[in-house]
Amino acid sequence: MSSPARGGGAPEDQGAGGEPGVEQGGRGTWRHAAFHVATTIATPAAYAPLPFAVASLGWPLGVCSLVIGTLVTWCSSLVVASLWQWNGEKHTSYRLLAKSIFGPWGYWYVSLFQQVASVGNNIAIQIAAGSSLKAVYKHYYTSDDGAMNLQQFILLFGAFELLLSQLPDIHSLRWVNAICTASTIGFAGTTIGVTIYDGYQINRKEVSYSLQGNTATKIFRAFNALGTIAFSFGDAMLPEIESTVREPVKANMYKGVSAAYMIIVVSYWTLAFSGYWAFGSEVQPYILSSLTAPRWTIVMANLFAVIQIAGCFQIYCRPTFAHFEERAQANKRSSRSFLWRVMYTSAYMAAITLISAAMPFFGDFVSICGAVGFAPLDFVLPALALLKTSKLPNNLGLQCAVKVLSSAVAVLFSIIGALACIGAIRSIALDVKTYKFFHDM
């Protein structure tokens, strides 16, 4: 197990590189891996802003960005899966894998960005879950007198997640995530169907596809959109998921990742393009807010969204929980103590719920999380890891091509991450000026 290193270095990995909260010796099948990967990537919070992102970029750039994002992250996921045991040792977390390749700086690089990605993702999807619960509630309770507000639904969702947080590891979530994967398909199918239905009800001559706002607004919205697309493919937990898979681990993980991406490609592209086609430049940052009829299907889509988010939230809790468990081990406290687990999961949920309720700016958190958290982990680091480990084809021509492509991906997505971060910070600053804290969106 890991323990604090002397002199401020990364914790030492012992044996097979295990760490708290990660199952040692996988039992999951490739289907379980597909459930976990699909649950962490294909969330309603990832689907829902894609039409708005495409609308912020326009048809040519929006389509190209989404297609390139899909191909790069699929390849990056396969690269990370292939490196899980690259030096003969099993690396059960992204942090330990990065340390084995890059040394201590790799450990702390991943620790920082994984926490940003995990916490930012959970803030964004808790806002989305609260919004979906409120939408279902408003369908049945139309009076404004005594109506529940968004913050109350965020609090209810947080309480439910606190209960799920008592499950010990990712493998224990496999059936939760199987249900969530089914809900992902249900959400995508329902939302796409209603979007196309609404699109045909609208007078097509009134739908505009031109970019909105002045020059500065167009530029910053485009930056924001790039962060949103990066968020939509975010998966900072692949080594942790791979550690739950049985032998042959790599083959099962390749199948699981590819199966998950088949779902992602069909659903992401269809929803993104149909949403922009249906509503044009007027599409909302959360696509469900643009839908109007039939109302029962909108209720169903929102329920699918809440179910799927419940599982995704749990996957992204785990890196933070692992840090708490490391501290417990360092202090000779049992990391499996029920009381200790209730204490740190309660503290985590209280912090996430408070931020979500105070600043329910869904689109802004999606963009900044994609820019600062997922772009470094899902685009930049896998490309650098491939170059560092020299896991390249034997053919000299292919070697050169892989090196050039990997270098280009690392540089390009570092720039995109920086631009997206600028756009997201500007949007948050504008929203804070426009809305009060704890605003009922």
Side-chain angles (χ1 to χ4, degrees):
M1 298 292 181
S2 56
S3 59
R6 293 181 180 88
E12 297 293 332
D13 33 326
Q14 300 176 10
E19 68 173 32
V22 178
E23 184 185 351
Q24 308 301 309
R27 292 175 289 161
T29 66
W30 70 267
R31 294 179 184 84
H32 295 147
F35 295 155
H36 294 318
V37 173
T39 298
T40 54
I41 299 177
T43 70
Y47 282 107
L50 282 177
F52 183 75
V54 175
S56 299
L57 295 167
W59 276 120
L61 188 55
V63 171
C64 289
S65 298
L66 193 56
V67 171
I68 290 171
T70 305
L71 294 175
V72 171
T73 51
W74 176 57
C75 292
S76 296
S77 296
L78 294 178
V79 167
V80 173
S82 72
L83 296 175
W84 184 71
Q85 202 173 355
W86 73 278
N87 60 351
E89 293 185 2
K90 297 177 181 178
H91 305 289
T92 57
S93 73
Y94 209 158
R95 292 180 293 162
L96 297 180
L97 175 61
K99 184 192 172 191
S100 74
I101 297 172
F102 300 104
W105 80 264
Y107 180 94
W108 294 115
Y109 175 98
V110 170
S111 294
L112 171 63
F113 289 114
Q114 196 175 52
Q115 288 301 319
V116 171
S118 300
V119 172
N121 176 83
N122 279 357
I123 292 170
I125 64 177
Q126 187 159 357
I127 295 168
S131 299
S132 287
L133 286 171
K134 182 182 175 182
V136 173
Y137 172 76
K138 291 294 288 183
H139 176 72
Y140 295 103
Y141 189 93
T142 55
S143 173
D144 290 332
D145 184 28
M148 294 176 68
N149 59 31
L150 175 62
Q151 282 66 32
Q152 289 170 306
F153 289 108
I154 289 174
L155 182 62
L156 286 174
F157 183 79
F160 177 68
E161 287 300 324
L162 179 59
L163 292 176
L164 286 183
S165 295
Q166 308 315 311
L167 293 173
D169 53 39
I170 291 175
H171 188 65
S172 65
L173 295 165
R174 61 193 181 281
W175 296 114
V176 173
N177 286 343
I179 296 170
C180 292
T181 301
S183 296
T184 296
I185 297 170
F187 173 83
T190 304
T191 307
I192 290 167
V194 178
T195 297
I196 294 172
Y197 176 86
D198 280 1
Y200 278 111
Q201 304 306 308
I202 297 171
N203 184 349
R204 304 309 304 163
K205 294 181 179 179
E206 296 179 357
V207 178
S208 170
Y209 298 103
S210 60
L211 300 179
Q212 302 294 301
N214 56 32
T215 302
T217 299
K218 291 176 183 177
I219 291 172
F220 283 111
R221 281 186 65 176
F223 291 171
N224 231 0
L226 295 175
T228 298
I229 291 173
F231 175 91
S232 68
F233 293 101
D235 183 8
M237 298 287 296
L238 271 176
E240 286 84 346
I241 292 171
E242 194 163 0
S243 298
T244 71
V245 179
R246 68 175 60 152
E247 295 289 349
V249 176
K250 287 184 182 179
N252 282 328
M253 197 63 185
Y254 292 158
K255 288 172 67 177
V257 167
S258 297
Y261 265 82
M262 286 178 62
I263 298 171
I264 290 165
V265 167
V266 172
S267 53
Y268 270 32
W269 293 7
T270 306
L271 181 58
F273 302 147
S274 64
Y276 185 32
W277 165 80
F279 304 108
S281 303
E282 299 301 317
V283 67
Q284 296 298 307
Y286 193 58
I287 183 65
L288 295 182
S289 301
S290 295
L291 306 181
T292 56
R295 290 187 61 84
W296 68 269
T297 57
I298 299 172
V299 169
M300 190 165 66
N302 278 291
L303 289 174
F304 279 135
V306 174
I307 294 168
Q308 204 285 337
I309 288 171
C312 178
F313 192 103
Q314 282 305 305
I315 295 286
Y316 280 103
C317 288
R318 303 299 154 162
T320 306
F321 292 173
H323 279 288
F324 283 114
E325 289 166 0
E326 286 174 1
R327 302 288 77 77
Q329 287 186 351
N331 295 326
K332 308 299 183 184
R333 183 190 291 114
S334 172
S335 63
R336 298 292 182 179
S337 164
F338 177 73
L339 180 59
W340 170 241
R341 188 174 188 86
V342 169
M343 288 172 60
Y344 70 70
T345 54
S346 298
Y348 176 88
M349 286 308 311
I352 297 294
T353 302
L354 178 62
I355 297 170
S356 302
M359 297 189 293
F361 312 135
F362 169 74
D364 299 343
F365 277 110
V366 162
S367 183
I368 199 165
C369 178
V372 181
F374 290 120
L377 294 177
D378 294 330
F379 295 91
V380 179
L381 194 66
L384 296 178
L386 184 61
L387 293 172
K388 179 74 172 177
T389 56
S390 300
K391 296 291 183 179
L392 302 172
N394 294 325
N395 182 281
L396 185 59
L398 286 176
Q399 279 189 20
C400 292
V402 170
K403 287 181 179 179
V404 169
L405 283 174
S406 297
S407 301
V409 166
V411 172
L412 175 63
F413 283 95
S414 294
I415 295 170
I416 287 174
L419 295 177
C421 186
I422 293 170
I425 291 173
R426 178 180 182 270
S427 294
I428 289 176
L430 291 175
D431 282 340
V432 168
K433 288 182 181 179
T434 304
Y435 302 105
K436 296 179 180 179
F437 285 114
F438 298 98
H439 183 76
D440 185 18
M441 303 290 283

